[in-house]
Amino acid sequence: MKFEVTILGSSSATPIYNRNPTSQALNINERLYLIDCGEGTQQQMLRFDVKPSRIDHIFISHLHGDHYLGLVGLLSSMHLNGRIKTLNIFCPAPLKEIIDLQLKYSETTLQYPVEYKFTNATKAEVVVDNDDVTIETIPLDHRIATTGFLFREKKRQRKLIKEKLEEIGIPVQYFTALKKGKDYTAPDGTIYKNDTLTIDSEQPKTYCYCSDTLYNEMYFKQISNSTLLYHEATFLNDMLDRAGETHHTTALQAAEIAIKTNAKRLLIGHFSARYKKLDELLEEAQSLFPATELAIEGKTFVIE
C-alpha cells in the first residue's frame, strides 16, 4: 500500500524565497489527504503535480495564518473547476465562520458540499476511520488551540503463498478465508494450517504530524514508535528562550522528542525565515538523532 508524504510548504510565519508556509500532501493507498494549507499551496500543488480533485480530506492544525490562509483560494478553485463531491475539513470551529464570511462577501456559493468536523485541542480523538487508515488528533501546546494529526495504517490481510496453494490445488473460492487466517481442510480430510499457506502482512506504519508546539511531554505517549515523525523545528537551540516565548520547538528539542518517543525517522520543518540555509538546523538535530531529514519542498518521503 502506498504511504508517502510530499512537502508543499516548510516555512514558518512568513514565506521566504524558495520556501512557502506549511502544507503537506499525504498519499495513503492513492487517497490524498491535505495537511494544513498556507499561502501559495495551490501553486505548490501545480508545481509538484498534486491534483486537488483527488483530495477529499483537509486537516487544519490551528488558526495562525501560515497554516490556513491558502484554504479559501483552494476551495474557490475547486468550485470553479467543477467539483461536485463532498469535501471534509477537520479544523478548529472558528474556521467555518472565517470561510463563510469570505464566501458571503464574494457572493460565492460553492457547488459542492463541505462537511466540517471540529477538532478538540484538549483531548485526542479519532476523526477518520476507513479501510486504509485511522486518523487521530494530537493535542499540542501552542499559543492558541492546536492539534497535530496521527495517521495509522490499518493491518492488511495475510498474503497467500501462491506456489503452495497451487501445489495443494486449493480452489480460488477459499482464498478469502485464507487471507483472514483460516485453515484449509482438503476433501480427503487433511488439514493445512494457515501459517503454512500464508505469510503475515507488514506491521502497520504511522505518520505523526506535530504542528506548532512547545516542547511538552503530554503528547509523547500518543506519538510513540512513529514510523515517520514530522515535528516542527522553528529555531536553533541558541534561540531556546525565543522558542519558549512563541511556543515553538528547536531542532535539538525535536531530536530529543524523536529519541524519547522511539521514532524510527524524524522529519523537521516550519523553519524560521531568519534561516536562509537549513544546514545548521539539520546538523543540530542529527547530532542527537542521526535519522533526521529536512522537510524540503517538493520532496516525497516514503513512510516505511
Side-chain angles (χ1 to χ4, degrees):
M1 184 173 82
K2 183 171 283 190
F3 195 14
E4 60 188 30
V5 61
T6 299
I7 307 302
L8 302 176
S10 64
S11 190
S12 56
T14 57
I16 183 175
Y17 178 71
N18 276 341
R19 294 208 306 268
N20 283 31
T22 300
S23 187
Q24 301 182 4
L26 187 64
N27 184 330
I28 305 177
N29 206 20
E30 299 303 344
R31 292 181 179 178
L32 293 188
Y33 301 80
L34 186 68
I35 312 171
D36 279 336
C37 189
E39 295 173 77
T41 293
Q42 288 192 81
Q43 288 290 335
Q44 295 292 81
M45 293 170 77
L46 288 168
R47 183 180 177 193
F48 302 125
D49 195 28
V50 175
K51 294 178 171 54
S53 60
R54 295 178 55 203
I55 295 172
D56 294 332
H57 300 77
I58 297 177
F59 300 85
I60 302 297
S61 61
H62 65 295
L63 295 184
H64 282 155
D66 53 318
H67 294 261
Y68 81 90
L69 284 178
L71 182 58
V72 69
L74 178 60
L75 299 182
S76 297
S77 292
M78 288 177 168
H79 163 74
L80 293 171
N81 288 327
R83 184 186 181 101
I84 58 173
K85 62 179 177 176
T86 300
L87 180 68
N88 300 284
I89 301 178
F90 303 82
C91 61
L95 183 59
K96 183 179 186 302
E97 179 184 358
I98 294 169
I99 297 298
D100 287 348
L101 190 65
Q102 293 181 77
L103 295 175
K104 174 183 176 181
Y105 286 105
S106 67
E107 298 185 8
T108 300
T109 301
L110 298 179
Q111 298 304 303
Y112 59 90
V114 176
E115 295 288 342
Y116 289 92
K117 279 86 171 178
F118 300 135
T119 51
N120 182 344
T122 66
K123 64 178 182 178
E125 297 179 323
V126 174
V127 293
V128 173
D129 187 351
N130 59 35
D131 292 341
D132 297 320
V133 66
T134 58
I135 306 171
E136 304 172 13
T137 55
I138 306 170
L140 298 173
D141 184 359
H142 195 39
R143 291 195 302 108
I144 62 174
T146 302
T147 63
F149 299 97
L150 188 161
F151 299 81
R152 189 187 309 277
E153 278 185 324
K154 289 287 184 71
K155 177 73 171 173
R156 315 305 286 181
Q157 292 185 331
R158 295 182 66 83
K159 298 178 181 179
L160 304 176
I161 305 173
K162 293 183 179 180
E163 299 81 4
K164 191 71 174 178
L165 271 56
E166 291 172 358
E167 177 187 325
I168 298 170
I170 298 177
V172 173
Q173 58 264 35
Y174 289 95
F175 288 5
T176 299
L178 291 172
K179 290 178 180 179
K180 293 179 179 179
K182 303 293 185 182
D183 296 334
Y184 171 68
T185 303
D188 65 2
T190 303
I191 297 175
Y192 294 89
K193 291 294 185 182
N194 187 273
D195 60 9
T196 66
L197 305 173
T198 68
I199 56 175
D200 198 11
S201 59
E202 296 177 352
Q203 287 302 306
K205 296 178 282 290
T206 59
Y207 179 58
C208 291
Y209 174 84
C210 292
S211 178
D212 301 18
T213 184
L214 192 68
Y215 180 104
N216 188 327
E217 294 192 1
M218 70 177 189
Y219 59 93
F220 286 12
K221 181 178 180 181
Q222 187 184 4
I223 68 171
S224 63
N225 301 308
S226 302
T227 309
L228 179 61
L229 169 63
Y230 168 84
H231 202 286
E232 71 120 301
T234 307
F235 301 106
L236 287 168
N237 212 58
D238 61 6
M239 298 197 70
L240 185 60
D241 289 344
R242 180 62 177 161
E245 291 169 4
T246 56
H247 279 237
H248 283 298
T249 306
T250 70
L252 194 68
Q253 287 178 318
E256 291 175 1
I257 292 166
I259 292 170
K260 288 187 175 182
T261 62
N262 195 37
K264 185 177 179 182
R265 294 162 60 207
L266 172 65
L267 186 61
I268 56 173
H270 198 264
F271 310 115
S272 169
R274 74 185 65 241
Y275 303 114
K276 304 301 185 289
K277 296 182 179 180
L278 303 175
D279 296 351
E280 288 180 287
L281 291 150
L282 180 61
E283 290 168 5
E284 182 171 277
Q286 287 183 335
S287 71
L288 278 186
F289 192 78
T292 302
E293 296 179 77
L294 296 170
I296 299 297
E297 295 178 18
K299 188 170 182 179
T300 295
F301 297 87
V302 177
I303 300 160
E304 56 186 359

